[in-house]
């Protein structure tokens, strides 16, 4: 039940504050007078027309009940609107959802996860207070002209990065955490994800990263991952579908098993992530209609042009852009933007640079680059294919992520980050 209620509560709090919130589930117990208690009896409906049919929980009716109860509470708590310069907005830090005398869920709220955990631990339900800034003069300063300082766009947002333990995923997790986000590092390599989360938290001096196990090719695993995130943070603002694999091979030689493996992780995996991310983000949207959220697929330059003897990879990535365009059309109804980023080769990442199984040593051994005698020769051959003469790096991808999150007027796009290697037609 928390998997449904927590995102609804998170949306409610985001809607009230206009900023991201952390919502964590607590255990039912005595609450003081500051808690906002809401009865969700009206959300229970009879399913089906026949008599004797079972009951179902209607999410939209629940969202309506929550929004109405919050508006009434806010009206009671607000100081006189006449004195706006002194106006301090109070928001509840504990919301209890009941059905009659039964407690359905208790949720603790704050701006960041450490503060929310502290509240839950000490049962501190004092209000979250915010001074309301004077209304901005949008006539003379349109909001877009002040849109700058891109790293600030993810501050206090919650993100999940699949395949976050190494390579581009690691770079993205590091970048988001350094810019003030809370990052769930989701990876099939749980140990790697845990080690990275530990490193990030030590460097940031706060809980900036949490490891969560997940295999993007399995629906049960991805569903459990989003449930764990809802339980610990209430939801997400940004879902980065990055997990990917590469098994190259000639169309005449590649085993079907190898083709399927690549397709399953890169193509089906993106569908599964978007499916469960979409469900969660839709729930938040029911109580936060204006809040925009993002699903971003880390695609590849091989999603924009073919890749020799690498059809499974390029085909899955081309298909990924088709999924992005299609998901974008459907999910914009819930203010979810869906975009792909198409990076060029990350020559310094493990896929290319691993000294034992990286692509450079593989290509050297296979004699793929004529005349190359060393790994450095192979690397320089590939670097010279890029007009900007270097590979794609973490910060290049981060700039694209900040752009997509900040840009409120675009969806369904594939953003190249290739140093000029692939140009759009
Ligand atoms: N490395 C490049 O040159 C390059 C270039 C363009 C695009 N990309 C794309 O960037 C993404 C990341 O690639 P990378 O090179 O950093 O890869 P990588 O191999 O360095 O890391 C991939 C991560 O994904 C995880 N992973 C693999 N299968 C998984 C699964 N089923 N479920 C969950 N996690 C799984 C791995 O454990 C690993 O941590 C991929 O989508 C890839 O296609 C990479």
């Amino acid at each position: 039940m928390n998997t449904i209620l927590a995102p609804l509560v998170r949306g409610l709090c985001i809607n009230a504050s206009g900023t991201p919130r952390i919502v964590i589930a607590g255990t039912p117990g005595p609450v003081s007078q500051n808690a906002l208690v809401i009865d969700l009896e009206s959300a229970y409906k009879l399913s089906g027309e026949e008599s004797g049919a079972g009951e179902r929980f209607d999410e939209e009716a629940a969202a309506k009940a929550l929004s109405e109860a919050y508006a009434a509470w806010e009206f009671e708590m607000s100081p006189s609107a006449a004195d706006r310069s002194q106006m301090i907005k109070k928001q509840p830090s504990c919301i209890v959802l009941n059905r009659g005398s039964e407690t359905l869920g208790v949720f603790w709220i704050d701006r960041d996860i450490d503060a929310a955990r502290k509240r839950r631990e000490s049962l501190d339900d004092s209000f979250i207070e915010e001074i309301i800034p004077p209304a901005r003069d949008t006539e003379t300063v349109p909001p877009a002209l002040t849109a700058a300082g891109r790293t600030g766009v993810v501050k206090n947002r919650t993100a999940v990065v699949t395949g976050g333990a190494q390579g581009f995923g690691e770079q993205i997790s590091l970048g988001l955490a350094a810019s003030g986000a809370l990052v769930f590092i989701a990876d099939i390599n749980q140990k790697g994800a845990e080690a990275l989360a530990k490193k990030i938290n030590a460097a940031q001096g706060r809980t900036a990263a949490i490891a969560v196990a997940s295999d993007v090719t399995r629906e049960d695993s991805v569903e459990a991952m989003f449930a764990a995130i809802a339980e610990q943070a209430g939801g997400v603002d940004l879902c980065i579908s990055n997990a990917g694999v590469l098994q190259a091979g000639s169309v005449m030689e590649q085993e079907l098993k190898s083709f399927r493996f690549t397709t399953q992780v890169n193509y089906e995996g993106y569908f599964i992530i978007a499916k469960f991310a979409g469900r969660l983000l839709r729930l938040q949207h029911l109580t936060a209609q204006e809040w925009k959220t993002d699903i971003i697929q880390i695609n590849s330059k091989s999603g924009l042009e073919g890749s020799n003897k690498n059809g499974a990879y390029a085909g899955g990535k081309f298909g990924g852009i088709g999924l992005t365009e299609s998901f974008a059309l459907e999910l914009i109804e819930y203010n979810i933007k869906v975009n792909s980023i198409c990076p060029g080769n990350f020559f310094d990442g493990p896929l290319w640079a691993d000294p034992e199984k990286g692509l450079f040593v593989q290509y050297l051994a296979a004699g793929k680059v004529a005349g190359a005698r060393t790994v450095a020769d192979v690397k320089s051959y590939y670097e010279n294919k890029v007009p900007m003469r270097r590979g794609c790096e973490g910060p290049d991808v981060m700039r694209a992520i900040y752009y997509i999150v900040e840009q409120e007027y675009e969806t369904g796009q594939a953003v190249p980050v290739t140093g000029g290697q692939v140009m759009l037609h």
Side-chain angles (χ1 to χ4, degrees), residues 362-378:
Q362 283 185 44
Y363 290 171
L364 182 65
K368 194 169 162 170
V369 177
R373 288 163 186 272
T374 62
V375 160
D377 291 341
V378 183

Side-chain angles (χ1 to χ4, degrees), residues 323-391:
L323 296 183
T324 289
E325 292 187 4
S326 308
F327 299 161
L329 288 172
E330 177 181 351
L331 298 180
I332 198 59
E333 182 181 348
Y334 310 112
N335 254 338
I336 306 168
K337 295 177 280 152
V338 188
N339 291 284
S340 292
I341 291 173
C342 301
N345 296 323
F346 180 21
F347 294 135
D348 293 329
L351 180 80
W352 285 84
D354 187 283
E356 276 156 35
K357 44 186 179 61
L359 293 177
F360 289 135
V361 282
Q362 283 185 44
Y363 290 171
L364 182 65
K368 194 169 162 170
V369 177
R373 288 163 186 272
T374 62
V375 160
D377 291 341
V378 183
K379 188 178 182 197
S380 120
Y381 169 81
Y382 280 97
E383 278 174 344
N384 283 328
K385 289 185 167 204
V386 185
M388 290 190 173
R389 298 283 185 273
R390 68 164 176 87

Side-chain angles (χ1 to χ4, degrees), residues 162-170 172 186-190 213-218 221 241-246 261 264-266 269 297-302 313 317 341-347 349-352 359 392:
T162 71
Q166 72 162 46
F168 270 141
E170 175 180 7
I172 295 167
D187 207 292
I188 201 167
N189 171 7
Q190 201 178 345
S214 119
D215 176 350
V216 300
T217 64
R218 286 181 33 214
S221 171
S241 175
N242 163 79
V245 293
L246 186 152
F261 170 70
Q264 221 181 2
V265 179
N266 296 354
Q297 182 216 18
I298 301 301
N299 196 287
S300 169
K301 72 176 173 51
S302 303
Y313 184 77
K317 292 294 186 182
I341 291 173
C342 301
N345 296 323
F346 180 21
F347 294 135
L351 180 80
W352 285 84
L359 293 177
C392 182

Side-chain angles (χ1 to χ4, degrees), residues 230-272:
E231 186 84 18
Q232 292 177 75
V236 290
D237 305 294
L238 172 58
C239 171
I240 309 229
S241 175
N242 163 79
V245 293
L246 186 152
Q247 286 191 353
S250 147
V251 61
M252 294 177 289
E253 310 284 340
Q254 189 171 27
E255 299 278 347
L256 181 58
K257 199 174 154 202
S258 164
F259 184 93
R260 279 192 179 144
F261 170 70
T262 305
T263 309
Q264 221 181 2
V265 179
N266 296 354
Y267 183 65
E268 287 185 21
Y270 175 34
F271 157 70
I272 294 173

Side-chain angles (χ1 to χ4, degrees), residues 97-116:
L97 303 184
N98 289 339
R99 181 187 190 187
S101 58
E102 178 200 352
T103 300
L104 301 172
V106 177
F107 300 95
W108 295 90
I109 302 129
D110 217 314
R111 297 177 182 90
D112 64 70
I113 194 160
D114 292 323

